[in-house]
């Protein structure tokens, strides 16, 4: 699988204007995808692999950053070399990683894929004994940033286990509150125009 194209001048406005609301904040799964560099070969026979940034919340944030949007991720990794790789890759893509924190004792999730074109791509997720992104706690959230972001996007996976379940619901409640009270209560937040 070819290396994804990276921007030559990563869009990182958070370095120059930390007060500007985010276009997008995502929350949830993060990890490392290990893809074979050979197609049509089962994992048991693959000899060469490539390492890529993964996780649905991460992929959405990277897509937004590549389109020139100010994006950040709320997640957790292990305190391990794969966690270091995730931070490096996020920064390289121009995604703010300030809310991606480490968890001692849990490994950064890894996902393997088999590639059988044209439409068979089995995935094997390694998120045991527990994925660090399920350790996001409500008290760690920057709710002002969540309220002010133009879009807040979260994975459903975060609802499967505590403390991430409570954290996800807490963030969604903050978004709902911000939308109910309007942009004045959440600077930079946008939403649908009020009904006439």
């Amino acid at each position: 699988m070819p290396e994804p194209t990276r921007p030559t001048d990563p869009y990182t406005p958070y370095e120059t204007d930390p007060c500007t609301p985010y276009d997008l904040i995502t929350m949830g799964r993060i990890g490392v995808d290990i893809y074979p560099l050979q197609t049509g070969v089962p994992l048991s026979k693959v000899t060469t692999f490539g390492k890529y940034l993964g996780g649905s919340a991460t992929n959405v944030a990277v897509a937004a950053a590549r389109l020139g949007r100010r994006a950040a991720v709320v997640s957790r990794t292990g305190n391990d070399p794969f966690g270091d790789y995730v931070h490096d890759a996020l920064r390289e893509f121009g995604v703010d990683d300030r809310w991606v924190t480490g968890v001692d004792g849990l490994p950064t999730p890894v996902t393997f894929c088999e590639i059988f074109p044209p439409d068979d791509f089995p995935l094997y997720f390694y998120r045991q004994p527990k994925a660090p992104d399920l350790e996001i706690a409500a008290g760690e959230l920057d709710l002002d940033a969540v309220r002010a972001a133009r879009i807040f996007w979260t994975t459903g996976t975060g609802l499967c286990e505590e403390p991430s379940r409570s954290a996800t619901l807490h963030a969604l409640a903050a978004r709902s509150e911000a939308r109910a009270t309007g942009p004045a209560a959440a600077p930079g937040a946008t939403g649908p125009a009020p009904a006439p």
Side-chain angles (χ1 to χ4, degrees):
M1 181 164 283
E3 181 70 17
T5 305
R6 289 181 167 79
T8 55
D9 182 21
Y11 183 77
T12 54
Y14 59 89
E15 294 176 354
T16 57
D17 188 4
C19 297
T20 302
Y22 290 87
D23 292 309
L24 170 72
I25 295 176
T26 67
M27 177 175 167
R29 287 198 302 113
I30 198 167
V32 178
D33 291 343
I34 308 294
Y35 286 175
L37 299 180
Q38 301 156 271
T39 60
V41 178
L43 281 180
S44 61
K45 305 294 184 187
V46 172
T47 57
T48 56
F49 294 87
K51 178 177 78 224
Y52 305 93
L53 183 62
S56 51
T58 310
N59 292 340
V60 171
V62 167
R66 290 175 70 177
L67 292 171
R69 301 302 180 189
R70 184 167 187 254
V73 176
V74 178
S75 193
R76 305 199 72 183
T77 67
N79 284 320
D80 55 25
F82 279 143
D84 295 340
Y85 166 75
V86 164
H87 281 281
D88 291 344
L90 285 170
R91 292 173 189 147
E92 190 174 338
F93 280 115
V95 175
D96 192 335
D97 66 338
R98 71 181 68 194
W99 298 306
V100 178
T101 58
V103 178
D104 288 329
L106 293 177
T108 300
V110 175
T111 302
F112 286 86
C113 178
E114 290 180 305
I115 302 175
F116 297 107
D119 59 0
D120 188 16
F121 305 96
L123 294 171
Y124 303 89
F125 292 90
Y126 292 85
R127 294 172 53 85
Q128 299 296 330
K130 182 181 185 181
D133 53 67
L134 296 177
E135 287 294 318
I136 300 170
E140 302 167 341
L141 300 175
D142 184 337
L143 293 179
D144 288 338
V146 168
R147 288 185 192 101
R150 291 182 64 206
I151 297 171
F152 175 72
W153 187 99
T154 185
T155 61
T157 310
L159 295 170
C160 76
E161 202 165 325
E162 292 293 350
S164 66
R165 181 179 189 277
S166 293
T168 302
L169 294 175
H170 197 58
L172 291 172
R175 284 295 290 186
S176 180
E177 172 189 298
R179 289 179 60 85
T181 56
T190 60

